[in-house]
Amino acid sequence: MKKPDSSGDSERVSELIMAAERSSMIHDWQRADELFRQAIAEDSSPASRIAYGVCLSRQERYFEAISIFTPILDGENQQAIGVVCHNLAAIYREIGDFDLARRFQWRATLLLDDAGPEELLAMANDALANESYQTSESLLMAAIEMSGDVADEVQDGDLIATLGLVQAELTSPQEGVVTLFSAYRRHQETQDFRGMGNDLLNMSVLFGRLQRRRAERACLKRAIRCFEKATASCSIKRTNDLVDRHDRVEFFRQFDGRRN
């Protein structure tokens, strides 16, 4: 997610936002909350609200983030509206409303003057969710090229993760797993615990397709530990539900009615 330049804000508000973002980087969410709310109380400009909305999104406090972002849509700052649409698309993508995510992402692409790899990656993920795998691959390759990387030396963990999902559909689940593990290692290097957790979730899906049940469950359990480090409550609940579902399926798969 991205936010606009806050250089036009007052010096004090800028200092509050920078302090809040430093707190969010070390997951001191309570302190970050206090500082962001203080900044918005003194200056409710789009820059302050977007910075706070991004922080809320990182905590998976999605509906609070939506309430912070939404008033900006009624304003006249087209660049800020574009940034908000991009962030709203990311939120709706996370909560599974892919149609609304595509609508917001398309509007963001039309409004943003500096659309780059992040926007192309978002569109690639939307195409992937819509099972338009060739389109997703084309958009992803454009994002990789725009980022300055080449296909076999991608540095961004999010780009690598989407590449793994595309490979799983167009080449093989095995190749997708290998690439997703590379994404996991890249996210690990930057201590992006949510990214690590999402990579493990995606690997668990592919291991399930490969009938590797133990690896599928192991990835789910490791994903929970990553989400706990990220204090990502929605992802923790969703992954725990997947573990429960996996265990129920395995129980019935191993049940032998002849023992009765």
Side-chain angles (χ1 to χ4, degrees):
M1 295 184 180
K2 56 194 288 188
K3 42 189 178 294
D5 185 9
S6 59
S7 59
D9 297 340
S10 69
E11 184 177 346
R12 172 169 169 74
V13 170
S14 296
E15 289 174 355
L16 286 169
I17 291 175
M18 286 190 291
E21 291 181 333
R22 285 195 296 270
S23 295
S24 72
M25 291 299 294
I26 60 172
H27 293 180
D28 186 353
W29 303 120
Q30 182 176 354
R31 180 58 177 162
D33 244 32
E34 293 171 356
L35 291 167
F36 273 125
R37 289 186 180 278
Q38 189 175 347
I40 290 175
E42 297 187 19
D43 172 27
S44 60
S45 68
S48 300
R49 298 186 73 89
I50 290 172
Y52 186 31
V54 170
C55 179
L56 292 169
S57 297
R58 288 184 59 209
Q59 301 170 66
E60 298 191 348
R61 294 164 61 183
Y62 295 130
F63 295 103
E64 292 176 73
I66 290 170
S67 70
I68 291 292
F69 285 137
T70 300
I72 299 172
L73 298 176
D74 296 326
E76 298 180 356
N77 187 329
Q78 297 299 298
Q79 186 72 7
I81 293 172
V83 172
V84 165
C85 287
H86 178 76
N87 282 278
L88 288 172
I91 289 173
Y92 286 113
R93 201 175 291 116
E94 286 287 334
I95 63 180
D97 191 335
F98 298 114
D99 180 63
L100 202 51
R102 283 191 295 272
R103 292 167 185 256
F104 274 114
Q105 191 60 55
W106 181 247
R107 186 178 177 191
T109 304
L110 294 175
L111 289 170
L112 290 173
D113 297 328
D114 58 346
E118 188 175 354
E119 287 72 32
L120 286 172
L121 174 61
M123 294 174 70
N125 284 326
D126 288 337
L128 187 63
N130 199 40
E131 300 183 1
S132 301
Y133 304 124
Q134 299 287 353
T135 300
S136 180
E137 182 183 39
S138 297
L139 289 165
L140 180 61
M141 291 302 106
I144 290 171
E145 182 178 354
M146 190 175 290
S147 72
D149 294 336
V150 293
D152 57 348
E153 296 180 8
V154 184
Q155 300 299 312
D156 184 278
D158 294 338
L159 288 171
I160 299 172
T162 299
L163 180 61
L165 295 175
V166 170
Q167 288 174 338
E169 299 299 335
L170 296 181
T171 308
S172 70
Q174 292 92 334
E175 186 169 339
V177 167
V178 172
T179 303
L180 281 168
F181 184 71
S182 297
Y184 171 83
R185 295 298 296 271
R186 184 66 65 187
H187 285 135
Q188 188 178 46
E189 290 173 5
T190 59
Q191 294 190 315
D192 182 351
F193 296 115
R194 279 192 71 232
M196 292 164 64
N198 285 327
D199 294 333
L200 288 163
L201 271 183
N202 287 322
M203 280 191 279
S204 77
V205 172
L206 298 185
F207 279 129
R209 287 169 56 180
L210 294 168
Q211 304 298 311
R212 296 179 58 181
R213 305 300 179 189
R214 292 178 62 184
E216 178 186 8
R217 190 179 192 279
C219 283
L220 290 173
K221 297 297 287 185
R222 291 181 66 183
I224 291 170
R225 292 196 290 272
C226 291
F227 290 136
E228 286 173 344
K229 290 180 180 179
T231 60
S233 57
C234 294
S235 292
I236 292 170
K237 182 183 183 305
R238 182 172 73 248
T239 311
N240 273 318
D241 290 343
L242 290 172
V243 172
D244 291 342
R245 180 178 179 275
H246 176 277
D247 290 346
R248 288 195 302 271
V249 170
E250 285 300 293
F251 174 80
F252 287 111
R253 181 178 286 115
Q254 296 171 14
F255 178 74
D256 187 351
R258 293 172 298 180
R259 296 176 183 172
N260 291 337

